[in-house]
Amino acid sequence: MHDDIEKVLIDEEVIQKRLDLLAEKVTEEFRGESIVVVALLKGAILFMADLLRRVPLAMEIECLNVASYHGGTESSGEVSFLDRKLPDVSGKSVLLLDDILDTGRTLDAVMRKLKDQGAEEIKTCVLLTKDIERDITLEADFSGFTIGDEFVVGYGLDYQGKYRNLPYVGILKNSAI
Ligand code: 5GP
Ligand code: MG
């Protein structure tokens, strides 16, 4: 698996260090509130596990299965909700976690959905933000790192279902695509 990586963009240690700081900010933001964390599957799984164990607040953890990429290396623009039942967020403060903010369509669609479901407040937190012009004006409230407009894998992010378990974020070799 590591042989398929052209370049490590953000190494494991740097990610873990950054999570300490992100967790502190999240903790300050939600102190004293009753929160529901909603993590988007499957990309946010590693981020969720590593971030939330650093947040010493009482919380409920929910996952939402959405698909937007459908296996390629470019955003399809369509967001599908794959769960039969959405988490109960009515009247609650929500921390929405995703791996990466790219076009913003995923977070935008999920935020609308959660608001429809009665969420009182929604803050977004992503590991990565792509530094691109977005049609949708959306910035995450908390973001780990800003990267360029390139396709990355690892630390939750996949290519055709693989590479999510890499402990770092990297770029694939052409021969692996
Ligand atoms: P958006 O809706 O913001 O365009 O895209 C968000 C979703 O697209 C992310 O949750 C992620 O699943 C996928 N995505 C966006 N950029 C990348 C990337 O560089 N690599 C991978 N593996 N997935 C990405
Ligand atoms: Mg995703």
Side-chain angles (χ1 to χ4, degrees):
M1 181 174 60
H2 295 287
D3 293 341
D4 291 343
I5 300 302
E6 174 79 43
K7 186 171 124 196
V8 174
L9 213 59
I10 311 168
D11 73 31
E12 187 174 359
E13 222 179 288
V14 173
I15 293 175
Q16 296 301 323
K17 260 219 183 99
R18 179 74 180 136
L19 292 188
D20 287 337
L21 210 101
L22 267 187
E24 267 178 40
K25 290 188 185 168
V26 166
T27 303
E28 280 319 305
E29 177 71 39
F30 288 98
R31 198 182 289 286
E33 291 175 51
S34 97
I35 62 170
V36 185
V37 176
V38 176
L40 301 188
L41 295 179
K42 302 170 193 138
I45 47 175
L46 274 73
F47 181 43
M48 165 180 74
D50 285 345
L51 179 75
L52 296 184
R53 76 183 82 189
R54 290 168 160 88
V55 178
L57 302 176
M59 62 174 70
E60 289 171 64
I61 300 176
E62 298 280 358
C63 293
L64 206 56
N65 207 348
V66 298
S68 52
Y69 245 69
H70 309 293
T73 60
E74 272 180 37
S75 190
S76 69
E78 266 174 66
V79 180
S80 347
F81 289 81
L82 307 174
D83 299 282
R84 285 223 210 141
K85 200 172 163 277
L86 294 169
D88 176 17
V89 293
S90 176
K92 296 178 185 162
S93 301
V94 175
L95 174 65
L96 178 56
L97 299 183
D98 202 6
D99 48 3
I100 186 165
L101 171 60
D102 183 12
T103 64
R105 289 199 185 93
T106 304
L107 284 182
D108 184 60
V110 175
M111 282 173 77
R112 280 166 202 268
K113 191 68 117 186
L114 294 175
K115 271 181 203 150
D116 277 356
Q117 301 291 311
E120 184 166 306
E121 179 202 11
I122 304 169
K123 293 274 186 251
T124 52
C125 178
V126 294
L127 178 75
L128 306 171
T129 298
K130 274 195 191 171
D131 186 17
I132 56 167
E133 290 250 344
R134 275 177 268 284
D135 301 338
I136 293 170
T137 332
L138 200 158
E139 286 299 320
D141 295 293
F142 307 98
S143 173
F145 304 91
T146 301
I147 63 167
D149 189 9
E150 45 199 350
F151 183 77
V152 294
V153 295
Y155 203 73
L157 293 131
D158 74 309
Y159 174 61
Q160 297 192 337
K162 287 185 271 180
Y163 306 105
R164 292 193 198 276
N165 55 320
L166 285 172
Y168 51 79
V169 172
I171 293 170
L172 280 177
K173 286 179 182 162
N174 277 331
S175 58
I177 294 176

